[in-house]
Amino acid sequence: MQRLRLAALGFVGTFVCAAAPSASAIDIVVDYTYDTNNFFDTQDKRDAMQAVADRFSRVITSPLAAVGPAGTATGTSPGWRIGLTHPGTGGSLQISTAASFGSDPIAGAGAATAYGFAGLNADEWTLFAGGRALSSAGIGGTGTGTNFTTTFDDIQGPMHRGFDDNTPSDSVSDLPRWGGGISFDTGRTWHFDLDTPAPIGELDFYSIALHEVGHALGLGSGWNQWASNGAETLYSGQNAIDVWNDQVSGAVTTLDLEGGDPHWEDGRYTSPIFAPGEPNLVGTVGTAPGVWQDLLMEPIANFTGTLRRFELTNMDVAALEDVGWAVLAASVALDGDANGDGSVDLLDFDVLAGNFGAGPGFGGGISGGDFNGDGNVDLLDFDILAGNFGASSPGSVPEPASVLLLTAGALVLGRRRRA
C-alpha cells in the first residue's frame, strides 16, 4: 500500500507523498504567469490541471461579481491588490491594480511584485499554478490581499464578490473569493494522463491537484469560514454533518478532524464519490459514480495497487458548502448500499457478511458494511440493510421475497461471525 501524508498549515494545505455536463456559475481560470520553473511545460500537464479546475467549476455554482481595476464594483475604493504565495519561488506575491508604484494608492504597504492587474471578470475564480522544489508533493493556498479597509468591507469587492455578507468588523478575516495559488514538487515522478491509472511508482497528478485546489477554495484554511466550523479536533459544519448522518442513519453533532491538522481524521469516514459534475473515475474505487471512497480531504491518501486515483466525495463537497460556496446537490445515498451502485441487493449483503462481527473500531465504514457508523459490523447494520433491501431509490419498500431471503441470510451471518 502506498500512503501519502497530507498536511495543512496556516492558509495553505499540503499534499505530502506518504453523466451529462452540468451548467455552472463559476469558471476556474488557471494562470501560468508565475510558473517560472516551467513545471507545466507540455500540453498534457496543462490539460490535467485544467481537468481539475473544470471538475470544481462543474460543482460550484456561486455567482461572482466582476471587480474592475478602479477598486470595487461600487467604485468606493481607490485601488486594491491580490496576494498569494508565488508558485515558482514560495515568496510573497502581490499584484496591484495600479499601473506603477507611483500611482499605487497602497504604496505604503511596500512595492507590489507586479502592477497593472486588470481586475476580475464576473464568475471567474483565478488559480495561479506552477512548480518548485517542495518537501511535499503539492501545496495549495487561498488568496490574500493588502488593501484598504473599505475594500475588505465592500461586499461587492474583490474579497467577497457579492455573496459573503459578514459584518464589516470581521470582513478582513473572511475567505478571499478572488482565487488562490497552487504549486507542485518538481522532484516527483508524476502521472498526468487522465485516461489511465497511475502505474506503481508514479503519483497521480489529478488526485493531488484535486486535494490542493480544495485547500485553495478554503477547505482547511485559517479564514473565518473554515475556522467557524472547526476547532483543533472537531468539525461542526452542518452540511457535512448532515451528509454523514444521512449516510449512516446517525445523529452526530460534530465530525472528527486530524488533531491540530485541518483535515478529516484519517481513515474515520467514507462517502460516495460525488456523482454530479462528471467525476473522473479512472483508477478510483469504482467504475460508476456513488461508490464509497475515503474522503478526498483526509491527511493520508491510501493508494494501493488498484486504487490509483481519488475523487471528490459527497462530504468534501458539503464542506465546500459549509465555507460559503453554493454547490450542486449530491445524489442521495441509500441505506445499506455498501458498494454505492444505487441499489441495495445481495452484493451489499455479501459485503456485510464478509465483515460480520468486525469491531470495535472497524475502519471499513459504510463500504465495509458498517451502515450506522458505530465502528462495528453487527445485527444493527444487518437491520439497516434488511429494511432497505431491494430499494433502488430513497424510500423504496423491499419486496416480500427479498425480506424472506434476508431472513434466511441472517442464519449465514451467525455462522460467519468473527472471533
Side-chain angles (χ1 to χ4, degrees):
M1 178 181 292
Q2 181 185 10
R3 291 163 61 85
L4 300 182
R5 178 72 192 181
L6 309 171
L9 300 173
F11 295 139
V12 299
T14 61
F15 202 146
V16 184
C17 189
S22 302
S24 63
I26 185 175
D27 182 17
I28 297 180
V29 177
V30 185
D31 190 309
Y32 301 101
T33 300
Y34 301 101
D35 182 23
T36 51
N37 295 312
N38 296 314
F39 179 81
F40 292 98
D41 58 351
T42 62
Q43 191 59 48
D44 65 322
K45 296 178 181 180
R46 294 192 176 201
D47 288 346
M49 185 68 250
Q50 192 61 54
V52 171
D54 290 345
R55 173 63 167 140
F56 280 102
S57 293
R58 293 190 297 267
V59 170
I60 297 175
T61 61
S62 298
L64 299 172
V67 188
T72 70
T74 55
T76 57
S77 299
W80 49 277
R81 298 181 187 180
I82 58 174
L84 68 150
T85 299
H86 193 299
T89 68
S92 177
L93 177 61
Q94 293 282 328
I95 307 172
S96 175
T97 58
S100 65
F101 179 80
S103 60
D104 186 356
I106 321 176
T113 310
Y115 288 97
F117 184 59
L120 304 167
N121 294 326
D123 300 329
E124 286 187 359
W125 188 89
T126 304
L127 181 69
F128 289 95
R132 65 182 190 273
L134 297 169
S135 59
S136 59
I139 186 167
T142 59
T144 61
T146 303
N147 303 280
F148 291 111
T149 301
T150 51
T151 302
F152 286 106
D153 288 350
D154 191 338
I155 298 302
Q156 296 299 317
M159 300 301 149
H160 302 281
R161 307 294 297 278
F163 66 92
D164 271 337
D165 193 20
N166 286 353
T167 58
S169 62
D170 202 28
S171 62
V172 71
S173 297
D174 281 345
L175 172 66
R177 301 290 179 173
W178 66 260
I182 193 169
S183 189
F184 301 92
D185 183 31
T186 53
R188 314 263 171 169
T189 301
W190 293 95
H191 181 77
F192 291 95
D193 188 76
L194 298 168
D195 300 320
T196 60
I200 301 299
E202 294 187 11
L203 205 52
D204 184 56
F205 178 83
Y206 183 89
S207 301
I208 308 294
L210 204 68
H211 177 101
E212 299 306 340
V213 175
H215 282 309
L217 286 162
L219 299 184
S221 72
W223 303 102
N224 283 333
Q225 283 73 11
W226 175 267
S228 65
N229 287 316
E232 286 296 308
T233 59
L234 297 176
Y235 180 85
S236 58
Q238 195 59 54
N239 291 291
I241 289 172
D242 287 346
V243 168
W244 176 250
N245 283 334
D246 287 344
Q247 290 178 176
V248 301
S249 300
V252 303
T253 56
T254 58
L255 299 170
D256 294 327
L257 297 175
E258 193 77 2
D261 181 350
H263 294 94
W264 307 118
E265 182 182 341
D266 181 52
R268 175 67 179 86
Y269 305 104
T270 57
S271 187
I273 291 176
F274 188 75
E278 300 173 81
N280 186 325
L281 299 172
V282 175
T284 62
V285 291
T287 58
V291 177
W292 298 85
Q293 177 198 276
D294 284 350
L295 304 190
L296 177 71
M297 302 306 293
E298 287 187 6
I300 294 177
N302 292 302
F303 290 110
T304 68
T306 55
L307 175 54
R308 308 304 299 158
R309 176 166 295 161
F310 285 89
E311 252 288 354
L312 280 169
T313 72
N314 289 355
M315 285 179 66
D316 296 306
V317 173
L320 285 172
E321 193 171 8
D322 283 331
V323 298
W325 297 106
V327 297
L328 296 176
S331 300
V332 178
L334 289 170
D335 288 339
D337 183 14
N339 64 359
D341 66 357
S343 62
V344 182
D345 51 28
L346 285 176
L347 295 176
D348 306 300
F349 172 79
D350 191 55
V351 171
L352 186 149
N355 292 317
F356 195 79
F362 176 63
I366 291 90
S367 59
D370 180 18
F371 300 125
N372 63 359
D374 66 355
N376 303 285
V377 182
D378 52 25
L379 286 175
L380 295 176
D381 303 297
F382 177 79
D383 287 344
I384 291 173
L385 189 151
N388 214 27
F389 195 83
S392 59
S393 60
S396 297
V397 178
E399 299 176 1
S402 298
V403 175
L404 291 175
L405 181 60
L406 277 182
T407 301
L411 299 176
V412 177
L413 292 178
R415 291 195 297 270
R416 298 182 70 168
R417 181 179 297 273
R418 295 178 178 178

